Amino acid sequence: MELDIGLMDMGKAEFYVTEGGFAGLKYEGVDYPHIVLRRSLPIQEPMKYISVADHENKEIGIIRAVEEMEGEQRAIVVNELDNRYYAPDVLEVLSVKDKLGYVYMEMRVKNKNGKEYAKNCAIKDVNRNIRMLSDHELIIFDVDGNRYIVADLFKLDKLSLKRLDPYLF
């Protein structure tokens, strides 16, 4: 028995960008001028099984793998996912302050384009929003819904580790 999870026929899909900058989709004769893309497996398989929904959050279908797409179609989907899943790599933790139920962090991060910069964020409920993904990988969620990835805790400098240590559970 084969399970139907609603995989899209990419030969019938045409992704586009609207004048307002939204990602749109023409699929099986229907025009969806504002779509939302979500990763089904954001950590393990970030470019596979991408849910495509209309602006009312009704699922249109699932993209099996972005790598199977070509050219501009692929670029539109990747750009939309990059915008939705802002997740720079943490290179250094510059400061951590605990204040009124929030943890404020200043970090040096690197985005997917390789640009390094300082980033400030606020984290509420550190027990839920600073999580170990494995014995050496960490993810941090801020109050704005952004994600920050520490790919390898053991590659951070000692001071960064010392600053993070009280929040590692």
Side-chain angles (χ1 to χ4, degrees):
M1 181 174 116
E2 191 171 310
L3 181 64
D4 179 13
I5 60 170
L7 293 176
M8 295 175 66
D9 178 348
M10 297 314 293
K12 297 178 182 177
E14 181 189 341
F15 291 90
Y16 64 93
V17 178
T18 68
E19 286 183 24
F22 294 108
L25 169 67
K26 292 179 183 172
Y27 188 65
E28 295 186 329
V30 180
D31 186 9
Y32 303 93
H34 184 186
I35 60 167
V36 177
L37 302 176
R38 289 188 185 90
R39 292 178 166 143
S40 298
L41 303 167
I43 305 300
Q44 297 86 357
E45 296 286 353
M47 292 303 199
K48 292 187 178 175
Y49 303 106
I50 307 301
S51 171
V52 182
D54 66 14
H55 72 284
E56 294 176 350
N57 212 23
K58 183 175 184 276
E59 190 168 76
I60 300 163
I62 295 175
I63 300 169
R64 179 191 307 271
V66 174
E67 64 201 22
E68 295 172 1
M69 302 174 76
E70 296 181 14
E72 186 179 346
Q73 298 292 292
R74 182 179 183 164
I76 290 168
V77 169
V78 168
N79 184 59
E80 191 69 16
L81 288 169
D82 285 349
N83 287 338
R84 180 173 181 80
Y85 291 94
Y86 171 77
D89 295 320
V90 176
L91 303 174
E92 182 180 8
V93 179
L94 303 170
S95 70
V96 177
K97 294 182 177 96
D98 224 326
K99 191 174 180 183
L100 300 172
Y102 289 87
V103 171
Y104 296 91
M105 283 191 188
E106 182 182 3
M107 302 174 282
R108 188 170 58 86
V109 298
K110 179 170 74 173
N111 67 15
K112 301 302 176 211
N113 298 327
K115 181 181 175 192
E116 292 184 23
Y117 54 97
K119 178 72 177 159
N120 292 309
C121 70
I123 302 147
K124 187 173 173 93
D125 191 5
V126 294
N127 293 333
R128 287 186 39 205
N129 292 311
I130 299 178
R131 288 189 236 152
M132 297 298 298
L133 297 173
S134 68
D135 62 342
H136 65 278
E137 192 174 21
L138 179 75
I139 189 166
I140 300 167
F141 297 91
D142 73 10
V143 294
D144 295 322
N146 296 314
R147 299 158 181 84
Y148 304 90
I149 305 291
V150 178
D152 191 343
L153 280 169
F154 306 112
K155 289 185 178 178
L156 288 177
D157 63 277
K158 288 181 182 179
L159 194 51
S160 292
L161 275 174
K162 183 178 177 184
R163 289 176 178 140
L164 279 176
D165 189 57
Y167 309 102
L168 302 179
F169 305 109

